[in-house]
Amino acid sequence: MADDTGVEALIDLMARLPGLGPRSARRAVLVLLKKRAQLMAPLAQAMAEVALSAKDCQICGNIGTAEVCAICADPRRATGEICVVEDVADLWAMERGQAFKGRYHVLGGTLSALDAVGPEELRIPRLIARVADEAAREVILALNATVDGQTTAHYIADVLEPLGVQITSLAQGVPIGGELDYLDDGTIGAALKARRKF
Ligand SMILES: [Zn+2]
């Protein structure tokens, strides 16, 4: 216990962050308290500013502080390729890979009968409009290899088909540095199906 209601409240809030339990939250708050000027004050100010200005990109659904995100605003990324992802975290992961030069479309989830998530709850109507507006050549489905992810991918492929755009999906298979013996059966099966000429 920190024995102080203000500090305890801060620890409770920090403990709600992913990857931080009560113990790590306490340690983090202690570091902040010891580095009030260098760390805590600038962090508090940055959080207050971003909390006020954060918004979804009007075009792709990425999160940032501008109406249109840096990727959508960059004319060099108008390649005619739109990469569809479930979540902003997936977009950021793709960007870390630095391999994709086109633009994104964040659905904001997957279709789920169980949770009553239909196309209208996701950004699917907006995607259909974008494919036409931007004369997209290719839509890359980079959805998670889960049942809901794959159901959503098939649904999107069906609704985009009449638009005549090429629809592709990420390959599934052996990860870089992966050893066959450690892979699950589903991954090995997917890798075998996606095999190509050596
Ligand atoms: Zn954007």
Side-chain angles (χ1 to χ4, degrees):
M1 292 297 281
D3 205 22
D4 179 287
T5 47
V7 173
E8 278 301 333
L10 185 56
I11 293 170
D12 286 347
L13 284 170
M14 293 280 276
R16 290 194 216 164
L17 294 174
L20 287 188
R23 181 196 283 264
S24 324
R26 218 174 298 128
R27 225 181 307 159
V29 167
L30 202 53
V31 170
L32 289 170
L33 287 169
K34 285 179 182 168
K35 299 190 173 177
R36 286 196 294 286
Q38 312 98 298
L39 193 56
M40 197 176 205
L43 179 67
Q45 194 186 345
M47 278 189 146
E49 282 171 13
V50 174
L52 282 179
S53 58
K55 48 181 82 75
D56 294 348
C57 169
Q58 286 176 353
I59 298 169
C60 75
N62 190 9
I63 291 180
T65 55
E67 298 288 329
V68 172
C69 76
I71 298 169
C72 289
D74 184 349
R76 286 169 302 181
R77 303 204 56 156
T79 60
E81 295 161 320
I82 299 177
C83 178
V84 178
V85 292
E86 287 177 24
D87 196 78
V88 173
D90 302 325
L91 187 164
W92 291 5
M94 289 283 296
E95 280 296 282
R96 282 200 303 277
Q98 295 186 340
F100 181 61
K101 304 294 178 209
R103 286 179 176 154
Y104 295 93
H105 194 81
V106 181
L107 293 176
T110 49
L111 296 173
S112 167
L114 213 60
D115 300 319
V117 181
E120 300 295 326
E121 275 74 43
L122 304 176
R123 288 193 186 84
I124 292 177
R126 180 86 198 99
L127 173 65
I128 298 168
R130 274 187 78 185
V131 168
D133 291 351
E134 300 177 23
R137 282 183 297 109
E138 181 177 353
V139 170
I140 302 158
L141 301 172
L143 302 179
N144 293 329
T146 57
V147 173
D148 283 345
Q150 293 311 299
T151 305
T152 308
H154 285 291
Y155 176 84
I156 292 173
D158 283 347
V159 295
L160 292 183
E161 216 224 284
L163 300 178
V165 64
Q166 191 187 1
I167 299 163
T168 57
S169 72
L170 291 189
Q172 291 166 356
V174 184
I176 305 261
E179 293 180 40
L180 289 185
D181 196 22
Y182 291 100
L183 297 182
D184 64 273
D185 304 350
T187 303
I188 291 184
L192 184 64
K193 249 164 93 185
R195 69 186 180 278
R196 57 201 165 88
K197 201 171 177 347
F198 190 68

